[in-house]
Each structure stands twice: as C-alpha cells, then as structure tokens.
Amino acid sequence: MKVLIGTRNPDKLAEIVRILGEIPGISWVTFRELPFPEVEEDGRTLEENAEKKARHLARLTGLATLAEDSGLEVAALGGAPGVRSARFAGEGRNFQANNEKLLALMKGEWDRRARFRAVAALALPDGRLWLREGALEGAIASEARGRGGFGYDPVFVPEGEARTLAEMAPEEKDRISHRRRALERLRPVLFALARGEPPPPGGDPGSA
Ligand code: ITT
C-alpha cells in the first residue's frame, strides 16, 4: 500500500520518516516523488487543518494520505502562536523571525510555560479518516540555543530538561516529541490497513 506523507516542510518530513520507519506492506510517497500543491491552512484548529490537508490530498492523488498540523502554544500569550505558528512573524515562514518575535514578546515574562502540539491525520480516498494527537510540555528559553531541529526548537526547553530541543540529537528529540506521540497513536491504524485487517475505530467517513 502506498501512503503519501502530505507535508511540504522537509524538516517535518524527515522526522515523520525517521519516527515511523519501515512498516511492512507500506511504501511512503513524498512531495519529492509527487509534487503536490500547497493546501491552504485556513482552519481555526490544528485538527481542522490536519483533516483538511489529509482529505484534500487523498482526494487529489487517490492515495492514502498522512498529514500533520502542529504548533506551539504559549500560556502567557493565551495559546499563541498555536495554529498560526508557521507564519507567526509573517507569510514568509521564517523560523528565525518567528523566534525573534516570540522572544521579544516573552521578554520579562515570568510564566514561560509552553507546549508543542501535533495532530496527525490519516485519510483514505474512500473518505475514512483517523485523527491522533500528541503533546510535549515545556518552557520558552530566554534566548535561542542550539542548531538542531527546526522552527521553534532553539527556544523550547522540554519539561525536566535543561537543553533546548535544538541542542538535542535528532533521536533524543524523536523519543519525546509531540510528533512522535501523535504518530505512535496512528501506527496501529497503518499496521492494520497494510495487513488488510480491520483498523481501530476512528475511521470517520465524514464528507468525502
Ligand atoms: P506542512 O503544512 O506542509 O506540513 P508547515 O511547516 O506549514 O508544513 P504546519 O502548518 O503544521 O506545517 O506548521 C507547523 C509550524 O509549527 C512549523 O512551521 C514550526 O514553526 C512549528 N513547529 C511544529 N513542530 C515543530 C517542532 O517539532 N519543532 C519546532 N517547531 C515546530
């Protein structure tokens, strides 16, 4: 069974492929083999955007599609940037500008609690859909540190850690990440579909 990984963000794609690894009976298709167009992310929640991306690309390509929407929720900012994380500092999706804006807004703020959230969606061309969520709790650092990862990793310190995610090795981030947690919850669905067994519940046919 072919499964399209419906992200055009190469950093995210690398993490998804690393986390899911090989699943017998599944071959991954990415935007490199099948350059699909960008899906407009106009939902009010990560769930809405993940579902929209997965359903839209499954319809367009005729392939089972795994998409994911993720974001950083900062308590002192009322949950911002949240669903707007990619474009926090403007349309250009500039990671450094986003981090600078966030650190400026958080300057002098004592409540530094934050959480990464990821919602993974798997859509089949027949309209069935599974949504699974994962989160990683932590805090916003006082300055950017580290060169690994992407996005807000240099300014995010996971709970119980002193280092930012960007200071960790990729495998260390993968062990605890919001993305990991969401994808692990989707793995049983992928396994079952690949084997032709009845998949776990949650395959809402919705409006295909
Ligand atoms: P696709 O829609 O093509 O998947 P995207 O980058 O636009 O790519 P999102 O809309 O889900 O993806 O935006 C997620 C943003 O949230 C991402 O650009 C980062 O700014 C941030 N983010 C998500 N996961 C992250 C992580 O693990 N580390 C750092 N930042 C992350």
Side-chain angles (χ1 to χ4, degrees):
M1 177 173 120
K2 285 186 177 180
V3 178
L4 177 71
I5 302 184
T7 178
R8 298 183 0 144
N9 173 332
D11 299 296
K12 210 196 237 190
L13 174 65
E15 290 192 6
I16 293 173
V17 168
R18 244 178 14 230
I19 290 167
L20 288 173
E22 299 214 347
I23 298 183
I26 289 189
S27 55
W28 304 121
V29 179
T30 75
F31 71 91
R32 301 204 169 93
E33 296 86 53
L34 193 62
F36 52 81
E38 179 146 14
V39 181
E40 195 192 351
E41 295 179 38
D42 51 5
R44 280 166 298 130
T45 61
L46 298 179
E47 283 79 2
E48 281 180 21
N49 280 336
E51 173 172 349
K52 182 177 179 188
K53 285 191 264 191
R55 279 198 196 281
H56 181 81
L57 293 173
R59 260 200 305 263
L60 189 73
T61 63
L63 295 178
T65 300
L66 183 135
E68 183 251 63
D69 207 51
S70 41
L72 177 69
E73 298 173 351
V74 180
L77 303 179
V83 75
R84 296 201 58 248
S85 291
R87 297 174 187 78
F88 192 38
E91 271 310 308
R93 273 202 177 89
N94 180 326
F95 292 152
Q96 193 180 338
N98 285 343
N99 284 333
E100 281 165 9
K101 177 172 177 183
L102 178 62
L103 289 175
L105 285 171
M106 292 295 285
K107 204 169 161 69
E109 173 60 59
W110 59 269
D111 178 4
R112 316 229 27 120
R113 287 171 304 146
R115 136 180 348 118
F116 269 121
R117 239 169 37 90
V119 176
L122 179 71
L124 302 188
D126 68 8
R128 280 182 288 168
L129 176 92
W130 290 263
L131 286 172
R132 297 289 187 270
E133 184 192 335
L136 174 63
E137 303 287 336
I140 301 302
S142 48
E143 75 285 304
R145 300 195 310 262
R147 306 178 67 87
F150 70 100
Y152 297 94
D153 285 347
V155 298
F156 185 89
V157 180
E159 213 165 61
E161 260 293 334
R163 296 171 299 167
T164 67
L165 279 176
E167 292 177 301
M168 297 183 173
E171 316 77 68
E172 287 180 285
K173 176 181 174 184
D174 289 348
R175 265 202 295 276
I176 57 171
S177 78
H178 47 308
R179 185 158 296 108
R180 169 63 176 267
R181 289 172 179 160
L183 292 174
E184 287 307 337
R185 292 179 176 141
L186 208 52
R187 190 188 292 279
V189 182
L190 289 162
F191 258 87
L193 290 171
R195 290 203 196 119
E197 292 168 2
D204 162 28
S207 52

